[in-house]
Amino acid sequence: MRMFVAVRPPASALSHLDEFLAVRRDAARFRWTPAEQLHLTLAFLAEVPDRSLDELVERLERAARKRRRFDTRLHGGGAFPNAARGRVLWTGLDLDEHDREELRRLAVGARTAAARSGVEVDGQRFRAHVTVARLGAPRELTSWVRLLDAYAGPRWRLAEIELVASHLREGPRKRPRHEVVATFPIGPPGTG
């Protein structure tokens, strides 16, 4: 099963970003990410064997409990591999040094949980971002990056992570359909 571990911003944050982009989408023929699929990937798991799923869920729950909650917001922007020849347009999170480190540790914990469960993890370096659009061919995206650099959404508490199954070509217009398999609260029980 193809899966990923993710942070999904709350509906209020996603709708704020969606409204910001809505009036601008017609200016570019990008493959825009639907608001309901916007997320920050902590670990990508291309193939999770059925026999590993229960252990993966247990390990992810423990990994999330070891971290702390913090407030953030969708903010800024960038392009991969760069703005001059971008194929992916993204927004980031507004993080101070301590929260950036906490998010990095959350990603490491998710990746370690998967690896110890016998699940192969995508080896790319973790870069905190939420993909808002993909392009079929590289394109100059400097003006779009500047636009997103000026974006700042409402603040929200990063309080949970999700294990999500990605069913290829089962969604609208043959996009992936995402199904939340499990949700894990961040921090010890009773954390607010």
Side-chain angles (χ1 to χ4, degrees), residues 33-157:
T33 305
E36 66 274 6
Q37 290 193 351
L38 291 169
H39 64 274
L40 184 149
T41 302
L42 298 172
F44 177 71
L45 317 171
E47 192 170 327
V48 178
D50 288 341
R51 69 181 181 281
S52 300
L53 187 57
D54 289 342
E55 183 179 356
L56 174 61
V57 167
E58 289 173 18
R59 288 183 180 276
L60 285 171
E61 182 175 26
R62 286 197 302 264
R65 294 273 183 217
K66 291 178 182 176
R67 306 285 23 114
R68 69 169 173 79
R69 297 172 180 201
F70 58 88
D71 292 335
T72 189
R73 64 183 171 172
L74 296 173
H75 173 71
F80 293 133
N82 57 56
R85 295 192 41 78
R87 293 184 69 108
V88 172
L89 182 65
W90 55 265
T91 188
L93 293 182
D94 184 11
L95 302 167
D96 65 21
E97 183 179 326
H98 299 291
D99 295 342
R100 185 173 292 108
E101 178 61 16
E102 191 65 23
L103 184 61
R104 186 194 69 78
R105 288 179 179 187
L106 187 60
V108 168
R111 291 167 181 236
T112 300
R116 289 188 176 159
S117 300
V119 177
E120 190 172 326
V121 182
D122 180 298
Q124 293 188 17
R125 182 173 62 103
F126 173 70
R127 294 182 67 177
H129 72 282
V130 175
T131 298
V132 295
R134 296 182 184 280
L135 291 76
R139 181 170 163 184
E140 168 61 51
L141 293 176
T142 301
S143 62
W144 286 94
V145 170
R146 285 186 184 138
L147 176 74
L148 283 167
D149 273 344
Y151 176 74
R155 294 197 73 74
W156 48 277
R157 174 137 292 208

